[in-house]
Amino acid sequence: SMTPISTIINEQLDWELVNQANEKQTLEMINVLRRRNQLNSLIENVELTKLATSVFTTYNSRTDEEIQSKGLSNKQISEVVTKDSSGAKDSDSLYLNHTSDATWVMSYWFSLETQRELLMNKKLRNSGIRYQNQEVILLLDSLDKL
């Protein structure tokens, strides 16, 4: 059956708010854990946030099934990042495609040694984060030149 157009608009507005709240919450949680480990807080870098956004824009033709089953690979993410910005060639990315729950995202990332070590890297300064419904991309960079 056809969905009335107003419902679609409301869903998009709701997702927009959920995404923004998740971005803020995820970064806050990372910084709480970094400070607990005597590390500097990450600052949100406009350039990195734009790059995270452009990754989703680049792959916006994916179906819900593709997003749920495969998600995006590190290779796909870094291709967009390096194409769109020479300054972010050394950035690392974390990605997840099964939840819109910021607390779950953090628990998952911190349960994996490589992700946890990355998030607790003392050289990190900059972050860019973008949630898109069930997906999240976090870009991290230690470069001062961004």
Side-chain angles (χ1 to χ4, degrees), residues 24-139:
K24 192 171 181 292
Q25 198 185 348
T26 302
L27 204 52
E28 279 169 6
M29 285 189 282
I30 292 170
N31 282 333
V32 165
L33 290 161
R34 285 180 65 86
R35 286 192 299 270
R36 202 174 283 169
N37 287 278
Q38 281 82 51
L39 298 167
N40 62 296
S41 294
L42 299 178
I43 52 168
E44 191 176 350
N45 179 282
V46 177
E47 171 84 356
L48 286 178
T49 302
K50 276 190 200 147
L51 287 169
T53 308
S54 72
V55 173
F56 284 133
T57 310
T58 303
Y59 299 108
N60 69 355
S61 62
R62 296 169 302 147
T63 63
D64 286 346
E65 287 75 24
E66 284 174 314
I67 290 168
Q68 286 305 305
S69 62
K70 300 202 286 281
L72 294 171
S73 68
N74 279 341
K75 188 172 180 289
Q76 285 175 304
I77 293 169
S78 67
E79 274 171 10
V80 175
V81 169
T82 47
K83 180 172 62 79
D84 286 7
S85 165
S86 56
K89 278 200 178 13
D90 300 320
S91 65
D92 288 292
S93 63
L94 290 180
Y95 168 85
L96 209 53
N97 65 326
H98 289 298
T99 184
S100 59
D101 181 320
T103 309
W104 196 92
V105 167
M106 289 301 296
S107 308
Y108 179 77
W109 281 343
F110 272 86
S111 71
L112 301 166
E113 196 180 346
T114 51
Q115 321 313 57
R116 188 172 61 246
E117 280 178 5
L118 174 59
L119 289 166
M120 292 293 109
N121 180 338
K122 65 175 187 288
K123 291 198 181 102
L124 288 180
R125 292 283 172 270
N126 300 294
S127 66
I129 188 165
R130 187 54 81 216
Y131 271 79
Q132 183 166 282
N133 307 3
Q134 301 288 309
E135 294 179 284
V136 55
I137 292 174
L138 174 65
L139 295 178

Side-chain angles (χ1 to χ4, degrees), residues 9-33:
I9 292 166
N10 285 339
E11 276 175 16
Q12 284 175 343
L13 288 177
D14 291 348
W15 268 120
E16 192 70 21
L17 292 172
V18 169
N19 291 337
Q20 285 171 4
N22 278 333
E23 287 156 10
K24 192 171 181 292
Q25 198 185 348
T26 302
L27 204 52
E28 279 169 6
M29 285 189 282
I30 292 170
N31 282 333
V32 165
L33 290 161

